[in-house]
DNA sequence: GATGAAATGATTACTTA
DNA sequence: TAAGTAATCATTTCATC
């Protein structure tokens, strides 16, 4: 896919906030026929620019009121260790994000759990599966902002 | 809305990975007629358990290859300061997440930018708008996992 | 929870600029 | 190459059982 033009950007801007809008509706917003919109959206999907359309659930209502960030030092730094760490964290559904970082801390984990007790179980579970040198947790008291919408 | 049953959970599990599936399709997966699925999904939306349906875009393909976490100490702790901090960060589209934390650091910001230069502009922009005592940045070298799907 | 009708929306083929 | 028109096909929505 070639460069995005102004209309592509406007469509993406809308779709990354609400992907349930009809083509007609989108067309009215950006000033195109529903077909022109359809073709553009399909091209954006095929190019992988739109990676997925997903439902965003309310964590509070599902009993997942606590977000925790875990700051991790690895201890070991072999490729095997990283491979295992990746596998283990990908397999744990409470873990939503795992990032290898620059700076003092080696890795950061973002997780969603019910409460501090559930975090403790997650922590024990994790360290039983993989060797970690140092782990410290920071809990989120307030989510001031949290969006999946990228700047366009 | 009353408690979620097994079928609700199965539907949510599917929808939070792909919300473009047809009702028929979903029904085949969970063993329900399209209409039974329709009613359940609508109830989940009305209860706010499904908060939104959004398109997830590929940050790399949009020239936003760098994720940065900013660890922030506030300096001031007045309600006014917090109000202004919230407003300022909500207004900056590169900033995707802002969290008030327990522990030593007061706030954490998650942002997406093109490169280190773009981060520097974001940083300057932020500190020009709000008084911050201490800011340190950690860049993401590798995204091992990053999902919007909650554990069900 | 199921059935089926009516309304809406998505997709295709074709035409135009 | 990109967009519009119109016909067709699929899906959603809703009344009724």
């Amino acid at each position: 896919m070639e460069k995005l033009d102004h209309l592509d950007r406007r469509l993406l801007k809308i779709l990354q906030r609400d992907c349930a809008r009809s083509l007609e509706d989108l067309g009215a917003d950006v000033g195109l026929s529903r077909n022109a919109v359809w073709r553009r959206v399909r091209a954006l999907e095929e190019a992988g620019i739109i990676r997925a359309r997903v439902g965003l659930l309310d964590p509070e209502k599902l009993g997942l009121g606590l977000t925790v960030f875990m700051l991790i030092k690895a201890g070991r730094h072999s490729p095997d260790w990283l491979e295992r760490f990746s596998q283990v964290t990908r397999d744990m559904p409470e873990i939503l994000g795992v990032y290898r970082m620059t700076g003092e801390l080696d890795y950061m984990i973002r997780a969603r759990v019910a409460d501090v007790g559930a975090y403790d179980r997650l922590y024990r579970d994790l360290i039983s599966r993989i060797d970690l040198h140092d782990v410290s947790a920071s809990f989120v008291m307030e989510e001031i902002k949290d969006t999946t919408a990228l700047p366009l």
Side-chain angles (χ1 to χ4, degrees), chain A residues 33-75:
Chain A
S33 73
R34 69 169 161 250
N35 274 26
V37 173
W38 181 77
R39 272 191 293 263
R40 279 170 183 266
V41 171
R42 199 173 56 127
L44 290 165
E45 275 169 339
E46 275 170 5
I49 292 170
I50 300 174
R51 273 191 324 158
R53 292 157 179 258
V54 305
L56 258 27
L57 310 185
D58 186 322
E60 311 282 341
K61 295 200 166 106
L62 293 164
L64 297 164
L66 186 60
T67 297
V68 56
F69 285 93
M70 301 169 72
L71 311 173
I72 288 175
K73 290 198 196 217

Side-chain angles (χ1 to χ4, degrees), chain A residues 5-143:
Chain A
D5 69 9
H6 180 61
L7 292 173
D8 291 322
R9 282 181 191 277
R10 281 186 60 193
L11 289 171
L12 289 174
K13 230 173 201 168
I14 300 169
L15 289 173
Q16 72 174 341
R17 303 221 172 252
D18 180 4
C19 69
R21 307 268 307 268
S22 74
L23 296 173
E24 198 107 48
D25 204 9
L26 290 168
D29 265 32
V30 303
L32 283 173
S33 73
R34 69 169 161 250
N35 274 26
V37 173
W38 181 77
R39 272 191 293 263
R40 279 170 183 266
V41 171
R42 199 173 56 127
L44 290 165
E45 275 169 339
E46 275 170 5
I49 292 170
I50 300 174
R51 273 191 324 158
R53 292 157 179 258
V54 305
L56 258 27
L57 310 185
D58 186 322
E60 311 282 341
K61 295 200 166 106
L62 293 164
L64 297 164
L66 186 60
T67 297
V68 56
F69 285 93
M70 301 169 72
L71 311 173
I72 288 175
K73 290 198 196 217
R76 287 207 271 156
H77 288 275
S78 68
D80 276 4
W81 183 92
L82 177 52
E83 180 51 45
R84 170 129 186 95
F85 179 67
S86 302
Q87 196 52 57
V88 162
T89 51
R90 285 197 189 113
D91 283 351
M92 296 175 74
E94 304 90 343
I95 294 179
L96 306 182
V98 180
Y99 313 95
R100 185 160 63 80
M101 312 290 295
T102 61
E104 287 130 66
L105 50 122
D106 296 325
Y107 297 91
M108 184 150 68
I109 286 176
R110 179 170 59 87
R112 269 272 178 194
V113 291
D115 49 39
V116 177
Y119 165 71
D120 194 49
R121 286 192 291 283
L122 172 66
Y123 165 77
R124 286 169 192 277
D125 196 8
L126 181 63
I127 61 170
S128 77
R129 295 195 206 192
I130 179 113
D131 180 39
L132 299 174
H133 183 253
D134 194 35
V135 182
S136 79
S138 259
F139 296 98
V140 172
M141 292 288 98
E142 185 185 0
E143 247 167 45

